[in-house]
Amino acid sequence: MHQTNSKLRFRTKSVLTGWSFVLLAVILIFVFYFYPMLQALILSFQTGTGSNLTFTGFDNYSRLLSDKTFIVSVKNTFIYLLVQVPLMIILALFISVLLNDSKLRFKGFFRTAIFLPCVTSLVAYSVVFKYLFSGNGLVNTMLLKLHLVSAPIEWITDPFWAKITIIIAITWRWTGYNMIFYLSALQNIDHSIYEAAKIDGASSTRQFFGITVPLLKPIILFTSITSTIGTLQLFDEVMNITKGGPGNATQTISQYIYNLSFKYAADFGYAATVSYSIVIMIALLSVIQFKVAGDKNG
Amino acid sequence: MAKSKRFFMYLFLSIAAFVSIFPFLWMVVSSTNQSVDVTRGRLLPGTHLMENLRKLLDTTDLQVSLMNSAKISITTTLLALLIASLAGYGFEVFRSRSKDIVFNILLLSMMIPFAALMIPLYRMFGQISNVFPWMGIDTMTSVILPTVTTAFLIFFFRQSTKMFPKELLEAGRMDGLSELGIFLRIYLPTMKTTYAAGAIITFMSSWNNYLWPLIVLQTPQTKTMPLLISTLGSGYAPDYGMIMIAIVIGTIPTALVFFVMQKHFVAGMIGSVK
């Protein structure tokens, strides 16, 4: 009796010690992630300015569907997503395969150079890009001098080119980041697989699609999900390069939420509804990406 | 055939490397030139570095912003490492079914977009401001608290703890060390590289954070470097040389951290997916 009691006390004590190690982190994540998440959900059913909010049911959600600015922001965000994420992933994969070549020289230099953009703050590089791509900026000057264009391109002020500028900027910043993940995964692939393929006469293109891509699938899935989540929340670049303009041509959903809450008449309820649209999109797209990757595995 | 393939390989990588480095070179070169020369596309270093710096010091609170960024980033990093490593250690060493469930719930927070959190968080800190002004809106605390604990960092420490030799744990218990003592005296020194990688990741994201500070920091005295750079860049008659020196100064800390601890940084990023 006495012995089981002390055993029990020892077990309880060890369980308590275990929980005490993780407690602070658990509390902080619940207070600063899950609780606000719930608050945002409640807010999304309320309308009013500032803190004068009243429950109005699904009013905000029906407003969402007829809100032209919201629809434009969603469209813009999806253009970035559909063009930039595949472009960046393919580019990163391609570079990492080249860098993984055992005979390649200056490997360290290339890797460091291509990874370098990741050390800049989104704001700092955005400002640099804004000036590089301005009407009389360096990019236009160079293009004119090389006679590649006859008139300067309106990188920032034309709705089409402004989107291209944003896409170029994000690709510059994040390609190296994704490349590192692929490089590390490539280093774990057994070289003899490639040797065998070579003996069988497989071209390097076939080796790439037949060996590299399938083996890297989990990492490609990981990077495409993180890039999707990142792109759906795009804010810093657009805010600092184009301010969302011209008109609303480059505005993203995050920027619209910011404007609704802190620039216009502080419509927190509706802004929360818009923010939930991102939550829903992330959930849906992640499920789709898991499904697509899963199907090809099976 | 093979030779031309090699050639294109090097050509492609050289272009990629050049495109990656060029904006840095341009930013550094431009910080030594006058505004007019920057707009004219001058690519050679000039002699106006000190002048640009003086203008920056005269027209902005550069030192204040630098200090704010340093204080926030260092505090965030230290607290984040402590909280996340305790949790990662706890989840792995004192593993149980219920803890695994909690851990998986924590991981879900990685899927929550910040856009959905910012309004409720802003209102939360607004309410705190009424009771404890020292930790409400426009304070360092309001910037640090929501970003100090990430499921990502906890996950990172838990993964690394899997490599921690369990014999050391037993040895510590035999020696009569308390559980916290084992953590502080054995685990912490053994896992130095993990802490280094975690520190770099946290420091960089904290130093570069923009949206949340933009919302909660409202007076010039609390501005951080990204906020300062952002306001400099939005003027109608920007002084390019001066803005470039501000960007260079704002980039130096993270670039230094990156170069000094490059290996750990890459290891850290990769450790996060393995």
Side-chain angles (χ1 to χ4, degrees):
Chain A
M1 184 67 195
H2 177 77
Q3 213 186 355
T4 42
N5 231 345
S6 77
K7 237 187 197 167
L8 202 69
R9 219 178 296 141
F10 177 74
R11 255 188 63 86
T12 328
K13 203 186 151 218
S14 126
V15 167
L16 284 179
T17 324
W19 282 107
S20 64
F21 270 86
V22 302
L23 195 65
L24 189 54
V26 174
I27 291 175
L28 284 167
I29 289 203
F30 272 86
V31 172
F32 292 110
Y33 286 85
F34 293 114
Y35 175 70
M37 176 97 172
L38 186 71
Q39 284 290 313
L41 184 65
I42 296 168
L43 261 174
S44 74
F45 294 104
Q46 296 177 315
T47 315
T49 51
S51 47
N52 298 317
L53 295 156
T54 44
F55 268 93
T56 48
F58 283 93
D59 278 11
N60 285 330
Y61 286 89
S62 53
R63 178 179 163 189
L64 206 61
L65 300 172
S66 55
D67 179 351
K68 285 201 182 92
T69 319
F70 171 71
I71 291 166
V72 169
S73 311
V74 173
K75 241 169 78 186
N76 290 338
T77 308
F78 269 79
I79 291 173
Y80 298 137
L81 188 72
L82 293 173
V83 178
Q84 199 270 333
V85 174
L87 174 79
M88 175 176 67
I89 287 177
I90 292 168
L91 198 62
L93 254 177
F94 187 60
I95 295 174
S96 56
V97 169
L98 293 186
L99 284 181
N100 197 43
D101 191 310
S102 52
K103 280 179 228 143
L104 184 82
R105 289 201 275 168
F106 316 115
K107 211 177 279 181
F109 165 76
F110 286 130
R111 198 184 57 197
T112 307
I114 296 168
F115 187 70
L116 199 59
C118 293
V119 308
T120 58
S121 86
L122 302 182
V123 172
Y125 99 87
S126 299
V127 174
V128 171
F129 268 65
K130 181 169 115 186
Y131 297 142
L132 277 174
F133 283 84
S134 68
N136 57 358
L138 196 64
V139 172
N140 271 334
T141 314
M142 280 192 186
L143 289 174
L144 284 168
K145 271 186 186 157
L146 294 168
H147 298 288
L148 287 170
V149 293
S150 53
I153 295 174
E154 299 294 329
W155 291 106
I156 311 279
T157 47
D158 176 82
F160 171 77
W161 289 110
K163 285 193 195 79
I164 301 284
T165 311
I166 303 282
I167 288 171
I168 294 174
I170 320 169
T171 310
W172 180 81
R173 175 64 167 71
W174 294 103
T175 302
Y177 179 83
N178 288 302
M179 174 195 78
I180 293 292
F181 290 110
Y182 300 146
L183 260 180
S184 75
L186 282 172
Q187 276 154 15
N188 290 334
I189 299 180
D190 190 356
H191 242 278
S192 56
I193 305 177
Y194 288 103
E195 297 302 327
K198 253 183 225 164
I199 294 166
D200 288 346
S203 68
S204 36
T205 326
R206 279 223 43 196
Q207 287 176 33
F208 179 75
F209 288 106
I211 303 172
T212 313
V213 172
L215 283 175
L216 291 193
K217 198 159 277 162
I219 301 285
I220 296 174
L221 177 68
F222 172 83
T223 52
S224 60
I225 287 178
T226 50
S227 305
T228 302
I229 295 178
T231 313
L232 285 178
Q233 303 188 65
L234 195 64
F235 177 83
D236 302 19
E237 288 89 341
V238 180
M239 183 79 169
N240 285 292
I241 297 177
T242 61
K243 277 216 180 312
N248 290 327
T250 55
Q251 180 166 279
T252 58
I253 310 173
S254 282
Q255 202 181 7
Y256 186 44
I257 298 168
Y258 177 81
N259 288 344
L260 281 172
S261 336
F262 302 106
K263 214 172 134 192
Y264 312 146
D267 195 343
F268 288 141
Y270 186 55
T273 312
V274 178
S275 78
Y276 252 75
S277 74
I278 302 189
V279 176
I280 294 163
M281 285 176 213
I282 289 182
L284 281 177
L285 287 174
S286 303
V287 170
I288 293 172
Q289 281 166 331
F290 267 112
K291 272 254 151 45
V292 169
D295 283 351
K296 279 183 191 160
N297 271 336
Chain B
M1 178 63 195
K3 251 192 183 163
S4 71
K5 214 172 121 189
R6 292 254 119 201
F7 173 76
F8 281 113
M9 206 168 125
Y10 280 103
L11 183 71
F12 180 82
L13 286 175
S14 304
I15 293 172
F18 176 76
V19 170
S20 301
I21 297 176
F22 183 75
F24 285 96
L25 287 178
W26 185 67
M27 163 183 119
V28 173
V29 166
S30 297
S31 70
T32 67
N33 282 319
Q34 271 178 304
S35 197
V36 249
D37 286 327
V38 179
T39 52
R40 275 187 204 137
R42 188 185 152 97
L43 289 174
L44 295 170
T47 53
H48 295 269
L49 178 70
M50 290 319 285
E51 191 191 315
N52 289 335
L53 185 62
R54 183 144 312 278
K55 264 191 268 175
L56 182 65
L57 288 169
D58 287 346
T59 51
T60 66
D61 288 323
L62 178 75
Q63 301 100 308
V64 176
S65 297
L66 270 175
M67 274 311 284
N68 289 338
S69 272
K71 273 187 217 161
I72 289 172
S73 307
I74 294 169
T75 316
T76 304
T77 307
L78 292 177
L79 284 175
L81 288 182
L82 181 72
I83 297 164
S85 65
L86 275 170
Y89 178 89
F91 279 120
E92 189 57 32
V93 172
F94 301 96
R95 203 171 163 182
S96 67
R97 248 175 70 92
S98 50
K99 270 194 218 78
D100 279 352
I101 294 168
V102 172
F103 180 73
N104 286 328
I105 295 173
L106 294 193
L107 286 188
L108 274 179
S109 71
M110 284 204 270
M111 301 288 277
I112 303 178
F114 183 71
L117 304 177
M118 66 190 194
I119 301 156
L121 283 175
Y122 177 75
R123 297 179 80 219
M124 255 166 82
F125 280 98
Q127 282 156 4
I128 295 174
S129 289
N130 298 331
V131 195
F132 307 111
W134 54 270
M135 64 180 287
I137 299 285
D138 213 27
T139 63
M140 251 174 70
T141 326
S142 65
V143 182
I144 295 169
L145 273 181
T147 53
V148 80
T149 317
T150 58
F152 171 79
L153 201 64
I154 299 168
F155 176 76
F156 173 58
F157 270 103
R158 183 182 185 166
Q159 289 301 97
S160 310
T161 306
K162 294 196 163 121
M163 314 284 195
F164 178 68
K166 300 285 168 328
E167 304 83 63
L168 286 180
L169 263 175
E170 292 307 321
R173 282 180 189 148
M174 298 282 254
D175 286 350
L177 276 173
S178 69
E179 291 299 329
L180 190 64
I182 296 172
F183 175 82
L184 292 173
R185 295 226 214 130
I186 304 174
Y187 177 82
L188 216 148
T190 324
M191 304 296 278
K192 259 187 212 142
T193 28
T194 308
Y195 278 92
I200 300 163
I201 295 168
T202 314
F203 181 84
M204 281 196 170
S205 65
S206 176
W207 183 273
N208 292 335
N209 196 5
Y210 175 61
L211 180 52
W212 178 239
L214 176 70
I215 294 169
V216 279
L217 299 180
Q218 297 166 339
T219 49
Q221 283 70 42
T222 52
K223 248 187 214 170
T224 57
M225 278 312 280
L227 295 181
L228 177 88
I229 290 167
S230 165
T231 46
L232 283 178
S234 64
Y236 281 101
D239 185 324
Y240 295 103
M242 182 185 94
I243 294 169
M244 289 304 164
I245 185 74
I247 295 177
V248 171
I249 293 173
T251 310
I252 288 174
T254 47
L256 268 183
V257 163
F258 169 70
F259 277 113
V260 174
M261 314 231 235
Q262 200 184 5
K263 273 192 190 136
H264 296 311
F265 187 71
V266 173
M269 280 178 53
I270 288 156
S272 63
V273 254
K274 269 190 182 159

